[in-house]
Amino acid sequence: MWLACTLSFILGLPSLGSSVAFSAATSIATIGLYISYGIPIALRVAYASRFVRGPFHLGAFSFPVAIAAVLWICFITIAFVLPEENPVDSQTLNYAVVAVGIVGTYSLGFWIISARKWFTGPVKQIAGECVRLDV
């Protein structure tokens, strides 16, 4: 816990002295959050025929809502990568795309080299059937 807090603090220090660094850090956090939600949703859309619903779903609205979510995530990711000021130079460029690209490349490389051989998926914590409680 202390290591995570210390590293977060160190990574946040450059944003105290530079508005460009602060903007990039905010964009990186937002893009990372949206991508973490977007990957499973996009996989659900891409592999709809093999998708098995869990106990919580939207019924007939599941697929249209998933498509809308993927489109929104694509839009918001592009919006947060764009520079905030014109003309664009080394001081006004949004470096979030570089950071997200590095993390994406590392994650994909780690998956290809190692994780695909041993990772079997998340651990289920909710039973497949819903239990009705009469009160």
Side-chain angles (χ1 to χ4, degrees), residues 65-128:
V65 168
I67 290 174
V70 169
L71 293 173
W72 172 254
I73 290 167
C74 290
F75 168 76
I76 205 72
T77 300
I78 292 168
F80 273 93
V81 168
L82 295 173
E84 296 179 5
E85 298 178 19
N86 280 329
V88 178
D89 59 11
S90 64
Q91 296 300 314
T92 60
L93 180 66
N94 189 348
Y95 291 97
V97 70
V98 176
V100 171
I102 290 170
V103 170
T105 303
Y106 172 78
S107 300
L108 186 62
F110 181 72
W111 169 259
I112 290 170
I113 292 170
S114 176
R116 68 184 169 96
K117 299 173 186 168
W118 54 266
F119 184 72
T120 58
V123 177
K124 291 183 181 180
Q125 297 181 358
I126 298 177

Short mmCIF file of all heavy atoms in Angstrom, two decimals, residues 65-128:
data_model
loop_
_atom_site.label_atom_id
_atom_site.label_comp_id
_atom_site.label_asym_id
_atom_site.label_seq_id
_atom_site.Cartn_x
_atom_site.Cartn_y
_atom_site.Cartn_z
N VAL A 65 -27.15 -0.85 -25.97
CA VAL A 65 -26.43 -0.06 -24.96
C VAL A 65 -24.93 -0.32 -25.06
O VAL A 65 -24.12 0.60 -24.94
CB VAL A 65 -26.97 -0.35 -23.55
CG1 VAL A 65 -26.08 0.22 -22.48
CG2 VAL A 65 -28.39 0.18 -23.40
N ALA A 66 -24.55 -1.56 -25.33
CA ALA A 66 -23.13 -1.89 -25.48
C ALA A 66 -22.53 -1.18 -26.69
O ALA A 66 -21.40 -0.65 -26.62
CB ALA A 66 -22.95 -3.40 -25.60
N ILE A 67 -23.24 -1.14 -27.79
CA ILE A 67 -22.75 -0.44 -28.99
C ILE A 67 -22.61 1.06 -28.70
O ILE A 67 -21.60 1.68 -29.06
CB ILE A 67 -23.67 -0.71 -30.19
CG1 ILE A 67 -23.52 -2.16 -30.64
CG2 ILE A 67 -23.36 0.24 -31.34
CD1 ILE A 67 -24.47 -2.58 -31.72
N ALA A 68 -23.61 1.64 -28.05
CA ALA A 68 -23.54 3.07 -27.71
C ALA A 68 -22.35 3.34 -26.78
O ALA A 68 -21.65 4.34 -26.93
CB ALA A 68 -24.85 3.52 -27.06
N ALA A 69 -22.10 2.44 -25.84
CA ALA A 69 -20.98 2.61 -24.92
C ALA A 69 -19.65 2.55 -25.64
O ALA A 69 -18.75 3.35 -25.37
CB ALA A 69 -21.05 1.54 -23.83
N VAL A 70 -19.50 1.62 -26.57
CA VAL A 70 -18.24 1.51 -27.33
C VAL A 70 -18.03 2.76 -28.17
O VAL A 70 -16.91 3.30 -28.23
CB VAL A 70 -18.25 0.24 -28.20
CG1 VAL A 70 -17.10 0.24 -29.18
CG2 VAL A 70 -18.19 -1.00 -27.33
N LEU A 71 -19.07 3.27 -28.82
CA LEU A 71 -18.95 4.49 -29.61
C LEU A 71 -18.58 5.69 -28.74
O LEU A 71 -17.74 6.52 -29.11
CB LEU A 71 -20.24 4.76 -30.39
CG LEU A 71 -20.56 3.74 -31.49
CD1 LEU A 71 -21.94 4.02 -32.07
CD2 LEU A 71 -19.50 3.77 -32.56
N TRP A 72 -19.21 5.79 -27.58
CA TRP A 72 -18.90 6.88 -26.66
C TRP A 72 -17.46 6.80 -26.17
O TRP A 72 -16.75 7.81 -26.11
CB TRP A 72 -19.86 6.88 -25.47
CG TRP A 72 -19.45 7.87 -24.42
CD1 TRP A 72 -18.89 7.62 -23.22
CD2 TRP A 72 -19.56 9.30 -24.52
NE1 TRP A 72 -18.64 8.79 -22.56
CE2 TRP A 72 -19.04 9.83 -23.33
CE3 TRP A 72 -20.04 10.15 -25.50
CZ2 TRP A 72 -18.99 11.21 -23.09
CZ3 TRP A 72 -19.98 11.51 -25.25
CH2 TRP A 72 -19.47 12.03 -24.06
N ILE A 73 -16.99 5.60 -25.86
CA ILE A 73 -15.61 5.43 -25.38
C ILE A 73 -14.62 5.79 -26.47
O ILE A 73 -13.59 6.44 -26.20
CB ILE A 73 -15.41 4.00 -24.85
CG1 ILE A 73 -16.19 3.83 -23.54
CG2 ILE A 73 -13.93 3.68 -24.64
CD1 ILE A 73 -16.33 2.41 -23.07
N CYS A 74 -14.90 5.44 -27.71
CA CYS A 74 -14.03 5.83 -28.83
C CYS A 74 -13.99 7.35 -28.95
O CYS A 74 -12.91 7.95 -29.10
CB CYS A 74 -14.51 5.21 -30.13
SG CYS A 74 -14.26 3.44 -30.22
N PHE A 75 -15.15 8.00 -28.88
CA PHE A 75 -15.21 9.46 -28.98
C PHE A 75 -14.45 10.13 -27.85
O PHE A 75 -13.64 11.04 -28.07
CB PHE A 75 -16.67 9.93 -29.00
CG PHE A 75 -16.82 11.40 -28.82
CD1 PHE A 75 -16.54 12.26 -29.88
CD2 PHE A 75 -17.21 11.94 -27.61
CE1 PHE A 75 -16.67 13.64 -29.72
CE2 PHE A 75 -17.33 13.31 -27.44
CZ PHE A 75 -17.06 14.16 -28.49
N ILE A 76 -14.70 9.72 -26.62
CA ILE A 76 -14.10 10.40 -25.47
C ILE A 76 -12.60 10.16 -25.41
O ILE A 76 -11.83 11.03 -24.99
CB ILE A 76 -14.81 10.00 -24.16
CG1 ILE A 76 -14.64 11.09 -23.10
CG2 ILE A 76 -14.30 8.70 -23.60
CD1 ILE A 76 -15.44 12.31 -23.36
N THR A 77 -12.14 8.99 -25.88
CA THR A 77 -10.70 8.72 -25.92
C THR A 77 -10.02 9.66 -26.91
O THR A 77 -8.97 10.24 -26.61
CB THR A 77 -10.44 7.26 -26.30
OG1 THR A 77 -11.05 6.41 -25.32
CG2 THR A 77 -8.96 6.96 -26.36
N ILE A 78 -10.60 9.84 -28.07
CA ILE A 78 -10.05 10.77 -29.06
C ILE A 78 -10.08 12.20 -28.53
O ILE A 78 -9.12 12.96 -28.68
CB ILE A 78 -10.80 10.65 -30.40
CG1 ILE A 78 -10.52 9.28 -31.02
CG2 ILE A 78 -10.42 11.76 -31.35
CD1 ILE A 78 -11.41 8.93 -32.18
N ALA A 79 -11.17 12.58 -27.87
CA ALA A 79 -11.29 13.94 -27.35
C ALA A 79 -10.24 14.24 -26.29
O ALA A 79 -9.69 15.35 -26.24
CB ALA A 79 -12.69 14.15 -26.78
N PHE A 80 -9.92 13.27 -25.45
CA PHE A 80 -8.94 13.50 -24.39
C PHE A 80 -7.50 13.40 -24.87
O PHE A 80 -6.59 13.73 -24.12
CB PHE A 80 -9.18 12.54 -23.23
CG PHE A 80 -10.16 13.07 -22.23
CD1 PHE A 80 -11.51 12.75 -22.33
CD2 PHE A 80 -9.77 13.90 -21.21
CE1 PHE A 80 -12.42 13.24 -21.43
CE2 PHE A 80 -10.68 14.40 -20.31
CZ PHE A 80 -12.01 14.07 -20.41
N VAL A 81 -7.28 12.95 -26.10
CA VAL A 81 -5.93 12.88 -26.66
C VAL A 81 -5.58 14.17 -27.41
O VAL A 81 -4.42 14.52 -27.56
CB VAL A 81 -5.81 11.65 -27.59
CG1 VAL A 81 -4.55 11.70 -28.42
CG2 VAL A 81 -5.82 10.38 -26.76
N LEU A 82 -6.59 14.90 -27.84
CA LEU A 82 -6.35 16.12 -28.60
C LEU A 82 -5.68 17.19 -27.74
O LEU A 82 -5.92 17.27 -26.54
CB LEU A 82 -7.68 16.66 -29.14
CG LEU A 82 -8.39 15.78 -30.15
CD1 LEU A 82 -9.76 16.37 -30.48
CD2 LEU A 82 -7.56 15.62 -31.40
N PRO A 83 -4.83 18.02 -28.36
CA PRO A 83 -4.23 19.13 -27.61
C PRO A 83 -5.27 20.17 -27.23
O PRO A 83 -6.29 20.32 -27.91
CB PRO A 83 -3.19 19.70 -28.58
CG PRO A 83 -3.60 19.22 -29.92
CD PRO A 83 -4.37 17.95 -29.74
N GLU A 84 -4.99 20.88 -26.16
CA GLU A 84 -5.96 21.85 -25.65
C GLU A 84 -5.79 23.23 -26.25
O GLU A 84 -6.70 24.05 -26.18
CB GLU A 84 -5.86 21.95 -24.14
CG GLU A 84 -6.23 20.66 -23.44
CD GLU A 84 -6.11 20.77 -21.94
OE1 GLU A 84 -5.83 21.86 -21.43
OE2 GLU A 84 -6.29 19.75 -21.27
N GLU A 85 -4.62 23.53 -26.81
CA GLU A 85 -4.34 24.86 -27.32
C GLU A 85 -3.74 24.79 -28.72
O GLU A 85 -3.10 23.81 -29.07
CB GLU A 85 -3.35 25.59 -26.41
CG GLU A 85 -3.86 25.82 -25.01
CD GLU A 85 -2.83 26.51 -24.14
OE1 GLU A 85 -1.89 27.12 -24.70
OE2 GLU A 85 -2.94 26.43 -22.92
N ASN A 86 -3.97 25.86 -29.50
CA ASN A 86 -3.33 26.03 -30.80
C ASN A 86 -2.41 27.22 -30.72
O ASN A 86 -2.72 28.18 -30.02
CB ASN A 86 -4.37 26.24 -31.90
CG ASN A 86 -4.99 24.94 -32.34
OD1 ASN A 86 -4.35 23.91 -32.31
ND2 ASN A 86 -6.24 25.02 -32.76
N PRO A 87 -1.33 27.29 -31.39
CA PRO A 87 -0.71 26.25 -32.19
C PRO A 87 -0.08 25.17 -31.30
O PRO A 87 0.25 25.43 -30.15
CB PRO A 87 0.37 27.00 -32.98
CG PRO A 87 0.73 28.14 -32.10
CD PRO A 87 -0.54 28.52 -31.36
N VAL A 88 0.06 23.99 -31.86
CA VAL A 88 0.60 22.87 -31.11
C VAL A 88 2.12 22.86 -31.24
O VAL A 88 2.66 22.88 -32.33
CB VAL A 88 0.02 21.53 -31.63
CG1 VAL A 88 0.61 20.36 -30.88
CG2 VAL A 88 -1.49 21.54 -31.51
N ASP A 89 2.79 22.88 -30.09
CA ASP A 89 4.24 22.74 -30.05
C ASP A 89 4.59 21.83 -28.88
O ASP A 89 3.72 21.19 -28.30
CB ASP A 89 4.94 24.10 -29.95
CG ASP A 89 4.52 24.89 -28.71
OD1 ASP A 89 3.87 24.32 -27.83
OD2 ASP A 89 4.85 26.09 -28.63
N SER A 90 5.85 21.76 -28.52
CA SER A 90 6.27 20.84 -27.46
C SER A 90 5.69 21.21 -26.10
O SER A 90 5.57 20.36 -25.23
CB SER A 90 7.79 20.79 -27.37
OG SER A 90 8.30 22.07 -27.00
N GLN A 91 5.29 22.47 -25.92
CA GLN A 91 4.73 22.90 -24.64
C GLN A 91 3.21 22.72 -24.55
O GLN A 91 2.67 22.70 -23.45
CB GLN A 91 5.10 24.36 -24.39
CG GLN A 91 6.58 24.59 -24.24
CD GLN A 91 7.17 23.80 -23.09
OE1 GLN A 91 6.61 23.78 -21.99
NE2 GLN A 91 8.28 23.13 -23.33
N THR A 92 2.55 22.61 -25.68
CA THR A 92 1.09 22.50 -25.66
C THR A 92 0.58 21.14 -26.13
O THR A 92 -0.62 20.90 -26.10
CB THR A 92 0.44 23.59 -26.54
OG1 THR A 92 0.91 23.45 -27.88
CG2 THR A 92 0.76 24.97 -26.01
N LEU A 93 1.49 20.26 -26.56
CA LEU A 93 1.08 18.94 -27.01
C LEU A 93 0.58 18.12 -25.84
O LEU A 93 1.14 18.18 -24.74
CB LEU A 93 2.26 18.22 -27.68
CG LEU A 93 1.98 16.82 -28.21
CD1 LEU A 93 1.00 16.89 -29.38
CD2 LEU A 93 3.25 16.14 -28.65
N ASN A 94 -0.48 17.37 -26.03
CA ASN A 94 -1.00 16.48 -25.00
C ASN A 94 -0.26 15.15 -25.11
O ASN A 94 -0.45 14.40 -26.06
CB ASN A 94 -2.51 16.30 -25.18
CG ASN A 94 -3.14 15.57 -24.03
OD1 ASN A 94 -2.47 14.99 -23.18
ND2 ASN A 94 -4.46 15.57 -23.99
N TYR A 95 0.56 14.85 -24.13
CA TYR A 95 1.39 13.65 -24.16
C TYR A 95 0.67 12.41 -23.64
O TYR A 95 1.28 11.37 -23.45
CB TYR A 95 2.68 13.88 -23.36
CG TYR A 95 3.60 14.88 -24.03
CD1 TYR A 95 3.61 16.21 -23.63
CD2 TYR A 95 4.42 14.49 -25.06
CE1 TYR A 95 4.43 17.13 -24.25
CE2 TYR A 95 5.25 15.40 -25.70
CZ TYR A 95 5.26 16.70 -25.29
OH TYR A 95 6.07 17.61 -25.91
N ALA A 96 -0.62 12.50 -23.44
CA ALA A 96 -1.39 11.35 -22.95
C ALA A 96 -1.33 10.19 -23.93
O ALA A 96 -1.27 9.03 -23.52
CB ALA A 96 -2.84 11.75 -22.70
N VAL A 97 -1.34 10.48 -25.23
CA VAL A 97 -1.32 9.40 -26.22
C VAL A 97 -0.02 8.60 -26.11
O VAL A 97 -0.01 7.38 -26.30
CB VAL A 97 -1.55 9.96 -27.64
CG1 VAL A 97 -0.37 10.79 -28.12
CG2 VAL A 97 -1.83 8.84 -28.61
N VAL A 98 1.08 9.25 -25.78
CA VAL A 98 2.36 8.55 -25.62
C VAL A 98 2.29 7.61 -24.42
O VAL A 98 2.66 6.43 -24.51
CB VAL A 98 3.52 9.56 -25.47
CG1 VAL A 98 4.83 8.85 -25.20
CG2 VAL A 98 3.62 10.44 -26.69
N ALA A 99 1.81 8.12 -23.29
CA ALA A 99 1.73 7.31 -22.08
C ALA A 99 0.77 6.14 -22.24
O ALA A 99 1.08 5.01 -21.86
CB ALA A 99 1.32 8.17 -20.89
N VAL A 100 -0.39 6.40 -22.82
CA VAL A 100 -1.37 5.33 -23.03
C VAL A 100 -0.83 4.31 -24.02
O VAL A 100 -1.02 3.10 -23.87
CB VAL A 100 -2.73 5.92 -23.49
CG1 VAL A 100 -3.69 4.82 -23.92
CG2 VAL A 100 -3.34 6.75 -22.38
N GLY A 101 -0.13 4.77 -25.04
CA GLY A 101 0.49 3.86 -26.01
C GLY A 101 1.54 2.96 -25.38
O GLY A 101 1.62 1.76 -25.68
N ILE A 102 2.35 3.51 -24.48
CA ILE A 102 3.38 2.72 -23.80
C ILE A 102 2.72 1.65 -22.92
O ILE A 102 3.11 0.48 -22.95
CB ILE A 102 4.31 3.62 -22.98
CG1 ILE A 102 5.19 4.45 -23.92
CG2 ILE A 102 5.17 2.81 -22.01
CD1 ILE A 102 5.98 5.54 -23.23
N VAL A 103 1.73 2.04 -22.15
CA VAL A 103 1.04 1.08 -21.29
C VAL A 103 0.32 0.02 -22.12
O VAL A 103 0.37 -1.17 -21.80
CB VAL A 103 0.06 1.80 -20.34
CG1 VAL A 103 -0.83 0.82 -19.60
CG2 VAL A 103 0.81 2.67 -19.36
N GLY A 104 -0.33 0.44 -23.20
CA GLY A 104 -1.02 -0.52 -24.07
C GLY A 104 -0.06 -1.50 -24.72
O GLY A 104 -0.33 -2.71 -24.78
N THR A 105 1.08 -1.01 -25.19
CA THR A 105 2.08 -1.88 -25.81
C THR A 105 2.65 -2.86 -24.79
O THR A 105 2.79 -4.05 -25.08
CB THR A 105 3.22 -1.03 -26.42
OG1 THR A 105 2.65 -0.13 -27.37
CG2 THR A 105 4.26 -1.90 -27.08
N TYR A 106 2.94 -2.37 -23.59
CA TYR A 106 3.46 -3.26 -22.53
C TYR A 106 2.42 -4.32 -22.17
O TYR A 106 2.75 -5.51 -22.04
CB TYR A 106 3.83 -2.45 -21.28
CG TYR A 106 4.19 -3.33 -20.11
CD1 TYR A 106 5.43 -3.94 -20.03
CD2 TYR A 106 3.26 -3.57 -19.11
CE1 TYR A 106 5.75 -4.76 -18.97
CE2 TYR A 106 3.56 -4.40 -18.05
CZ TYR A 106 4.81 -4.99 -17.97
OH TYR A 106 5.11 -5.81 -16.93
N SER A 107 1.17 -3.92 -22.00
CA SER A 107 0.12 -4.87 -21.61
C SER A 107 -0.10 -5.93 -22.68
O SER A 107 -0.21 -7.12 -22.37
CB SER A 107 -1.19 -4.13 -21.36
OG SER A 107 -1.04 -3.19 -20.34
N LEU A 108 -0.18 -5.51 -23.93
CA LEU A 108 -0.36 -6.47 -25.03
C LEU A 108 0.84 -7.40 -25.15
O LEU A 108 0.68 -8.60 -25.33
CB LEU A 108 -0.61 -5.72 -26.34
CG LEU A 108 -0.96 -6.59 -27.54
CD1 LEU A 108 -2.26 -7.35 -27.29
CD2 LEU A 108 -1.09 -5.73 -28.79
N GLY A 109 2.04 -6.84 -25.02
CA GLY A 109 3.24 -7.66 -25.07
C GLY A 109 3.30 -8.67 -23.94
O GLY A 109 3.65 -9.84 -24.14
N PHE A 110 2.93 -8.24 -22.73
CA PHE A 110 2.91 -9.16 -21.59
C PHE A 110 1.89 -10.27 -21.80
O PHE A 110 2.14 -11.43 -21.46
CB PHE A 110 2.59 -8.39 -20.30
CG PHE A 110 2.57 -9.26 -19.08
CD1 PHE A 110 3.75 -9.77 -18.55
CD2 PHE A 110 1.38 -9.58 -18.46
CE1 PHE A 110 3.73 -10.58 -17.43
CE2 PHE A 110 1.35 -10.39 -17.35
CZ PHE A 110 2.53 -10.88 -16.82
N TRP A 111 0.74 -9.92 -22.38
CA TRP A 111 -0.28 -10.93 -22.67
C TRP A 111 0.24 -11.95 -23.67
O TRP A 111 0.10 -13.16 -23.48
CB TRP A 111 -1.55 -10.28 -23.18
CG TRP A 111 -2.53 -11.28 -23.72
CD1 TRP A 111 -2.77 -11.58 -25.02
CD2 TRP A 111 -3.36 -12.15 -22.96
NE1 TRP A 111 -3.71 -12.56 -25.12
CE2 TRP A 111 -4.10 -12.94 -23.87
CE3 TRP A 111 -3.57 -12.33 -21.60
CZ2 TRP A 111 -5.01 -13.89 -23.46
CZ3 TRP A 111 -4.48 -13.28 -21.19
CH2 TRP A 111 -5.19 -14.04 -22.12
N ILE A 112 0.85 -11.49 -24.75
CA ILE A 112 1.33 -12.38 -25.80
C ILE A 112 2.46 -13.27 -25.30
O ILE A 112 2.49 -14.47 -25.58
CB ILE A 112 1.78 -11.57 -27.04
CG1 ILE A 112 0.55 -10.95 -27.71
CG2 ILE A 112 2.55 -12.42 -28.03
CD1 ILE A 112 0.89 -9.93 -28.77
N ILE A 113 3.38 -12.69 -24.54
CA ILE A 113 4.56 -13.45 -24.09
C ILE A 113 4.23 -14.40 -22.94
O ILE A 113 4.70 -15.54 -22.93
CB ILE A 113 5.68 -12.48 -23.68
CG1 ILE A 113 6.21 -11.76 -24.92
CG2 ILE A 113 6.82 -13.21 -22.97
CD1 ILE A 113 7.14 -10.61 -24.61
N SER A 114 3.40 -13.97 -22.00
CA SER A 114 3.24 -14.78 -20.79
C SER A 114 1.79 -15.08 -20.39
O SER A 114 1.42 -16.23 -20.25
CB SER A 114 3.93 -14.07 -19.61
OG SER A 114 3.73 -14.77 -18.42
N ALA A 115 1.00 -14.05 -20.19
CA ALA A 115 -0.30 -14.20 -19.53
C ALA A 115 -1.27 -15.12 -20.26
O ALA A 115 -2.09 -15.80 -19.63
CB ALA A 115 -0.94 -12.85 -19.29
N ARG A 116 -1.22 -15.17 -21.58
CA ARG A 116 -2.17 -16.01 -22.32
C ARG A 116 -1.98 -17.50 -22.01
O ARG A 116 -2.86 -18.31 -22.24
CB ARG A 116 -2.08 -15.76 -23.81
CG ARG A 116 -0.79 -16.21 -24.44
CD ARG A 116 -0.76 -15.84 -25.92
NE ARG A 116 0.56 -16.03 -26.45
CZ ARG A 116 0.95 -17.12 -27.09
NH1 ARG A 116 0.10 -18.10 -27.29
NH2 ARG A 116 2.17 -17.23 -27.54
N LYS A 117 -0.81 -17.85 -21.45
CA LYS A 117 -0.52 -19.25 -21.14
C LYS A 117 -1.07 -19.68 -19.78
O LYS A 117 -1.31 -20.85 -19.57
CB LYS A 117 0.99 -19.47 -21.16
CG LYS A 117 1.61 -19.20 -22.52
CD LYS A 117 3.11 -19.27 -22.47
CE LYS A 117 3.70 -18.84 -23.80
NZ LYS A 117 5.14 -18.63 -23.71
N TRP A 118 -1.29 -18.73 -18.87
CA TRP A 118 -1.72 -19.13 -17.53
C TRP A 118 -2.97 -18.41 -17.03
O TRP A 118 -3.64 -18.90 -16.13
CB TRP A 118 -0.59 -18.90 -16.51
CG TRP A 118 -0.03 -17.51 -16.50
CD1 TRP A 118 1.06 -17.07 -17.18
CD2 TRP A 118 -0.53 -16.39 -15.77
NE1 TRP A 118 1.27 -15.73 -16.93
CE2 TRP A 118 0.31 -15.28 -16.06
CE3 TRP A 118 -1.61 -16.19 -14.91
CZ2 TRP A 118 0.11 -14.04 -15.52
CZ3 TRP A 118 -1.79 -14.92 -14.37
CH2 TRP A 118 -0.93 -13.87 -14.67
N PHE A 119 -3.34 -17.27 -17.61
CA PHE A 119 -4.51 -16.53 -17.12
C PHE A 119 -5.78 -17.19 -17.64
O PHE A 119 -5.96 -17.36 -18.83
CB PHE A 119 -4.44 -15.08 -17.56
CG PHE A 119 -5.56 -14.24 -17.00
CD1 PHE A 119 -5.58 -13.89 -15.68
CD2 PHE A 119 -6.60 -13.81 -17.82
CE1 PHE A 119 -6.61 -13.11 -15.16
CE2 PHE A 119 -7.63 -13.05 -17.32
CZ PHE A 119 -7.63 -12.70 -15.98
N THR A 120 -6.67 -17.54 -16.73
CA THR A 120 -7.91 -18.23 -17.11
C THR A 120 -9.15 -17.35 -16.94
O THR A 120 -10.25 -17.79 -17.23
CB THR A 120 -8.10 -19.52 -16.29
OG1 THR A 120 -8.11 -19.18 -14.90
CG2 THR A 120 -6.98 -20.50 -16.58
N GLY A 121 -9.00 -16.15 -16.44
CA GLY A 121 -10.14 -15.26 -16.27
C GLY A 121 -10.35 -14.89 -14.82
O GLY A 121 -9.69 -15.41 -13.93
N PRO A 122 -11.30 -14.00 -14.57
CA PRO A 122 -11.56 -13.57 -13.20
C PRO A 122 -12.25 -14.66 -12.39
O PRO A 122 -12.88 -15.56 -12.93
CB PRO A 122 -12.49 -12.36 -13.37
CG PRO A 122 -13.15 -12.60 -14.69
CD PRO A 122 -12.15 -13.32 -15.54
N VAL A 123 -12.11 -14.56 -11.08
CA VAL A 123 -12.74 -15.50 -10.17
C VAL A 123 -14.19 -15.08 -9.97
O VAL A 123 -14.48 -13.91 -9.69
CB VAL A 123 -11.99 -15.52 -8.81
CG1 VAL A 123 -12.68 -16.44 -7.84
CG2 VAL A 123 -10.55 -15.92 -9.02
N LYS A 124 -15.12 -16.01 -10.12
CA LYS A 124 -16.54 -15.70 -9.94
C LYS A 124 -16.83 -15.54 -8.46
O LYS A 124 -16.45 -16.37 -7.64
CB LYS A 124 -17.41 -16.81 -10.51
CG LYS A 124 -17.36 -16.90 -12.01
CD LYS A 124 -18.29 -17.96 -12.52
CE LYS A 124 -18.21 -18.06 -14.02
NZ LYS A 124 -19.11 -19.08 -14.55
N GLN A 125 -17.53 -14.45 -8.14
CA GLN A 125 -17.87 -14.19 -6.74
C GLN A 125 -19.38 -14.16 -6.52
O GLN A 125 -19.83 -14.04 -5.40
CB GLN A 125 -17.27 -12.86 -6.30
CG GLN A 125 -15.76 -12.88 -6.34
CD GLN A 125 -15.17 -11.58 -5.88
OE1 GLN A 125 -15.86 -10.63 -5.56
NE2 GLN A 125 -13.86 -11.54 -5.84
N ILE A 126 -20.16 -14.27 -7.59
CA ILE A 126 -21.62 -14.26 -7.49
C ILE A 126 -22.12 -15.55 -8.14
O ILE A 126 -21.70 -15.91 -9.24
CB ILE A 126 -22.23 -13.05 -8.21
CG1 ILE A 126 -21.74 -11.76 -7.55
CG2 ILE A 126 -23.74 -13.11 -8.20
CD1 ILE A 126 -22.22 -10.51 -8.24
N ALA A 127 -23.03 -16.21 -7.48
CA ALA A 127 -23.59 -17.45 -8.02
C ALA A 127 -24.39 -17.12 -9.29
O ALA A 127 -24.93 -16.03 -9.45
CB ALA A 127 -24.49 -18.11 -6.99
N GLY A 128 -24.48 -18.10 -10.19
CA GLY A 128 -25.16 -17.91 -11.46
C GLY A 128 -26.66 -17.73 -11.32
O GLY A 128 -27.31 -17.15 -12.17
#
